[in-house]
Amino acid sequence: DGGITQSPKYLFRKEGQNVTLSCEQNLNHDAMYWYRQDPGQGLRLIYYSQIVNDFQKGDIAEGYSVSREKKESFPLTVTSAQKNPTAFYLCASSNRVGGGTGSNEQFFGPGTRLTVL
Amino acid sequence: KNQVEQSPQSLIILEGKNCTLQCNYTVSPFSNLRWYKQDTGRGPVSLTIMTFSENTKSNGRYTATLDADTKQSSLHITASQLSDSASYICVVSGRGSTLGRLYFGRGTQLTVWP
């Protein structure tokens, strides 16, 4: 099956701990993204990557870090510096970054719900 | 400021009834507009996509319209089913940036009752 997988589905963390969320895609997409979703708010972009070994900050990158060592993988680390990390995290990928009628359609993973205890 | 506003915030309808969700945007320059369906605890799934030159697009019981002049879009759901209960998110893509930036609305939470 082609698609995007995220793991784990639920994650609990104690305050002060770092935690890494996994995102893998087998769609051969160049671009990958991490979003955060809070109740009643639109998705907010944390980080994105257009190509292997390159990534850029989104709107709310503080307290997060990423790596893109492989085309199919884009893990997100939530660090202890993130003051309010409890949220639903969504990973997405697209064929390429940029405008166009359909070339930038983003396909989303199933999400990881992170709860800080 | 590029924004996407959706209304209503939430909506409850009876099974079999029709409904219409609204999306207004200020994103400019505009590339395309998508409607996504997001089931609770799941990732969003694309329903329709429309470019500047398209004013209507259907996907089964879902019909989206776009008025690029007034920067308004609607999603009409016909003969609703219980499985239509979800959040519907309007997403607008800008043009002219290397990111192909997406602007997300907050979504309309639709509940279909039997």
Side-chain angles (χ1 to χ4, degrees):
Chain A
D1 284 340
I4 304 175
T5 58
Q6 292 184 242
S7 62
K9 186 171 179 62
Y10 299 97
L11 188 58
F12 297 90
R13 185 195 97 176
K14 292 183 179 179
E15 281 191 31
Q17 289 181 337
N18 294 353
V19 63
T20 297
L21 282 59
S22 170
C23 177
E24 305 276 334
Q25 55 98 0
N26 61 5
L27 300 169
N28 200 32
H29 285 168
D30 290 316
M32 297 186 74
Y33 314 79
W34 273 105
Y35 293 93
R36 170 180 171 140
Q37 188 175 36
D38 294 283
Q41 294 195 35
L43 275 67
R44 292 184 288 170
L45 183 65
I46 304 173
Y47 268 98
Y48 67 98
S49 169
Q50 301 182 58
I51 196 170
V52 174
N53 292 322
D54 179 71
F55 48 83
Q56 305 295 329
K57 292 182 179 180
D59 298 325
I60 55 167
E62 184 176 354
Y64 300 98
S65 66
V66 293
S67 62
R68 188 85 187 276
E69 298 178 0
K70 299 185 295 183
K71 185 176 184 178
E72 58 271 23
S73 179
F74 191 41
L76 172 74
T77 296
V78 184
T79 75
S80 57
Q82 170 50 235
K83 298 305 179 187
N84 186 21
T86 295
F88 189 53
Y89 290 88
L90 285 161
C91 179
S93 69
S94 67
N95 198 26
R96 67 177 177 91
V97 174
T101 57
S103 58
N104 67 334
E105 177 174 359
Q106 294 186 14
F107 296 84
F108 289 85
T112 292
R113 184 165 299 281
L114 172 65
T115 302
V116 175
L117 305 174
Chain B
K1 182 179 180 182
N2 291 315
Q3 287 184 313
V4 178
E5 299 289 342
Q6 291 187 243
S7 63
Q9 183 176 352
S10 62
L11 182 63
I12 300 174
I13 61 173
L14 294 177
E15 187 179 13
K17 298 298 185 181
N18 304 336
C19 68
T20 300
L21 314 180
Q22 300 291 343
C23 174
N24 296 337
Y25 63 93
T26 59
V27 178
S28 182
F30 169 84
S31 175
N32 59 68
L33 184 147
R34 287 189 176 88
W35 284 92
Y36 280 87
K37 178 186 179 186
Q38 184 178 22
D39 292 318
T40 301
R42 307 291 295 275
V45 176
S46 181
L47 292 174
T48 64
I49 175 176
M50 288 178 292
T51 61
F52 184 88
S53 60
E54 297 174 300
N55 54 26
T56 187
K57 185 71 70 76
S58 291
N59 178 2
R61 295 179 296 102
Y62 301 102
T63 299
T65 64
L66 173 66
D67 185 334
D69 291 331
T70 62
K71 298 185 177 180
Q72 296 179 328
S73 176
S74 66
L75 180 68
H76 186 73
I77 304 175
T78 303
S80 61
Q81 300 176 357
L82 298 179
S83 59
D84 292 331
S85 295
S87 178
Y88 292 84
I89 304 172
C90 176
V91 184
V92 179
S93 177
R95 181 164 50 86
S97 72
T98 57
L99 174 59
R101 177 64 186 267
L102 298 185
Y103 297 88
F104 293 83
R106 298 186 178 190
T108 291
Q109 183 65 47
L110 174 66
T111 303
V112 180
W113 283 1

